[in-house]
Amino acid sequence: MSSEFGEKYTHRYLMMHRFLYAFFIFFILLLVISGVNRSVFNILYFILLGLASILVDEYIFRKNLAISSKIYEIKAFIQLALFSCGFFKRTDCLLLYVIVFSVQMLLYFEYIVFNDIFYETQLMNKRLTGMIPIMIGLIAYNWGNFSTEWIIMFFVAAVTLFAIMLIISDYYAKSLLEYNYKYTSLYFTTEKLEEDKNELLEYQHKVKTVNNELNLQRVNLAKLNTELENSANEMHALIDVMKEISSTFDIKNSMGVLVSTVFDVKNVDVVSFYIDKGIFKNKEAAICTKSAGDEDVEFFENIMTDMYDILKDAGMLQPVVLAGPSVMRHEYFESKPYTDVVIFPAYENEDIYGVLLCASKKVNFFYNGYAFYESALIDFSSVLKSTKLYLQMEDMANIDSLTGLNNRLNFNKTFPVICKEAVNSNQPLSVAMIDVDHFKDVNDTYGHLAGDKILREVGAILLEYAKKYKGIAVRYGGEEFLMILPGKREEESYKALTEVHDKIMNNAIDHSGKIIRINTSIGLSIYPDTCDDINKIVDSADETMYYSKNHGRGMLLVAGKEIEYASKYLNLRGEA
């Protein structure tokens, strides 16, 4: 069999074998389910043989070993023998034998026709050798039923079966040989046509070359006009970027605008922008990436920290080429198709805060220079500086400078929104009013510096547990604080406030060598459990906190259950 013909039909044989063995295993299982065959050995043997045949065929066909007749002949003969061996374990299931025999017939035909030479003698030898394991299987299946009548019937059946196989395989092999011959003739005819086509293409190429030389002046002029037009478009794009990112104080949105503009205007395959943490109140590094195919987005975002470190360590304010016509590829890009890769520093007052990476699969992509990319980063740095000032002013307006918590002004703006969300979503809302006990005495005894130290310590504890329980901590005024816990009912919020109360009480402030103990009175109110009007929940928490202060201080009480919760503290203190 010719290699061209074999390669053409190898895939078809593989698909046919997959269906064959799948149906084979299916019918075996069907015989088991229906109770027709109860031989455990036969069932396991033929199922495992079917699975093994699938794996072997996958390997042989995928490696194109079926085209090599010797390997496939050996494989087919071994399979014929193995399928027959399964009947040495006695079974009376005729359907099982018919199914196995059908598989053997297909293997028998392939054993004969997968050849490179179709001589009559060779075909006869293969027919005879292929029949041997099939006959062995037939004998093994009927073993124990031998009689004179059976021998005569078996002999007649074997001769008839062999004659049928002989006729079919002879016709099939000769048809395959004729088709193979026609296919090979057509292949060589196609090769000749391909040669003529190549000659015609070569002539056509020569004509094009002449035309290109005649039009060289026109092309150069058009190229110059294109470059001028691109420069104008880039200038307009930079102006549009400046307008867009100047209209917002959202740095991440501005990063997206910058990346998209560079990607669209310059037709870069990948653009990735990285800003280090802490630049614009960002606790984590910010990354924005856009890729033509999106397949390498994760790869570039994973390496951007290293790209930033390369520039930061070098302290360079100039672009660094990591891959280019005259520069070997950096190790990160050795297995990637990007031929040109450049990183640009983003800096403010010569302090590098980020890096812009541009990568292209086109050779000499940056032959026009880096002016556009550097200008875009300069514009972004100007906007970043303005945004940082705005964020600082916003902090000054919304954050208490002493404790770092949300101040009363910020609370007044955000709390109505929190209440509305709780009502609309039918979720609980817990609010705790916290007051530092005997704070005036501390100020009078140790001075305001000690008082400020206590307030900072309480604020730090409240901020810690607000983050832990996904809540909000507020300095409400003076020595009063609020803890807001959205979505928390009495049990959860009481547990959280107990931890806060215990940690504050167990803390001690060292002021000029003097140890100052702190305690708090806390009133907790929960909507809708203890306060059905959400607009009065702060007042409810405040009243509960004052109940604590008026009945011994240092207690965490729940609105509506003040006496019940207060009695626990008073019993512990021996004051009940």
Side-chain angles (χ1 to χ4, degrees), residues 84-95:
S84 293
C85 288
F87 291 108
F88 282 106
K89 179 69 176 179
R90 178 69 179 151
T91 178
D92 293 324
C93 183
L94 179 59
L95 283 176

Side-chain angles (χ1 to χ4, degrees), residues 292-344:
D294 293 333
E295 67 275 4
D296 283 335
V297 170
E298 184 177 356
F299 164 76
F300 280 96
E301 291 191 346
N302 287 336
I303 68 169
M304 286 304 291
T305 302
D306 293 338
M307 299 296 101
Y308 174 72
D309 291 338
I310 290 174
L311 276 178
K312 192 76 171 177
D313 294 342
M316 296 179 62
L317 301 182
Q318 301 297 324
V320 175
V321 181
L322 299 180
S326 58
V327 178
M328 292 183 63
R329 292 192 194 187
H330 191 276
E331 59 181 351
Y332 282 113
F333 306 101
E334 287 179 352
S335 61
K336 296 294 179 180
Y338 302 99
T339 56
D340 283 33
V341 182
V342 179
I343 51 177
F344 303 89

Side-chain angles (χ1 to χ4, degrees), residues 376-391:
L377 283 174
I378 290 172
D379 291 344
F380 184 87
S381 295
S382 299
V383 173
L384 178 64
K385 186 175 182 179
S386 301
T387 302
K388 288 167 67 176
L389 290 173
Y390 171 80
L391 293 175

Side-chain angles (χ1 to χ4, degrees), residues 9 34 42 108-109 113 118 122 146 169 193 260 277 315 343 352-353 375 392 405 418 464 490 507 513 518 561-562 573:
Y9 286 93
S34 63
N42 292 118
Y108 176 73
F109 287 136
V113 300
F118 292 95
Q122 183 190 31
F146 283 106
S169 62
L193 290 174
S260 295
K277 61 182 179 181
I343 51 177
I352 298 174
Y353 64 82
S375 298
Q392 290 173 2
L405 303 182
I418 296 173
E464 174 189 350
E490 179 180 336
N507 259 14
I518 315 172
K561 303 177 182 180
E562 292 88 349
R573 298 173 187 172

Side-chain angles (χ1 to χ4, degrees), residues 123-272:
L123 286 173
M124 184 57 70
N125 291 336
K126 291 192 69 176
R127 290 172 186 140
L128 291 173
T129 55
M131 284 295 296
I132 292 172
I134 296 176
M135 291 298 121
I136 291 174
L138 183 59
I139 294 171
Y141 172 72
N142 289 280
W143 189 259
N145 295 324
F146 283 106
S147 64
T148 304
E149 293 81 2
W150 187 94
I151 294 173
I152 294 172
M153 289 176 61
F154 173 76
F155 179 76
V156 172
V159 170
T160 303
L161 180 63
F162 179 72
I164 293 172
M165 288 184 177
L166 191 66
I167 294 169
I168 295 175
S169 62
D170 182 67
Y171 172 77
Y172 188 66
K174 288 180 178 179
S175 299
L176 191 60
L177 178 61
E178 180 181 353
Y179 190 76
N180 186 36
Y181 172 76
K182 291 179 180 179
Y183 184 88
T184 305
S185 299
L186 181 61
Y187 175 77
F188 286 113
T189 302
T190 305
E191 272 196 337
K192 182 64 172 63
L193 290 174
E194 189 69 25
E195 290 177 4
D196 294 341
K197 178 186 174 182
N198 290 336
E199 290 179 2
L200 182 61
L201 289 174
E202 185 178 354
Y203 177 77
Q204 184 181 10
H205 176 70
K206 290 178 180 179
V207 173
K208 286 184 178 180
T209 302
V210 172
N211 288 333
N212 288 337
E213 291 175 356
L214 292 175
N215 294 318
L216 183 60
Q217 294 294 332
R218 188 185 304 168
V219 171
N220 287 336
L221 181 61
K223 182 179 179 181
L224 180 61
N225 288 334
T226 301
E227 290 178 355
L228 290 174
E229 184 178 352
N230 289 339
S231 297
N233 290 336
E234 290 177 3
M235 184 64 68
H236 287 300
L238 287 175
I239 294 172
D240 291 340
V241 169
M242 190 65 178
K243 288 180 180 178
E244 179 70 22
I245 61 181
S246 296
S247 64
T248 178
F249 291 106
D250 188 339
I251 292 298
K252 289 187 177 180
N253 181 64
S254 299
M255 290 173 66
V257 171
L258 175 65
V259 167
S260 295
T261 301
V262 173
F263 184 85
D264 295 336
V265 173
K266 300 300 289 185
N267 292 319
V268 191
D269 288 311
V270 178
V271 181
S272 188

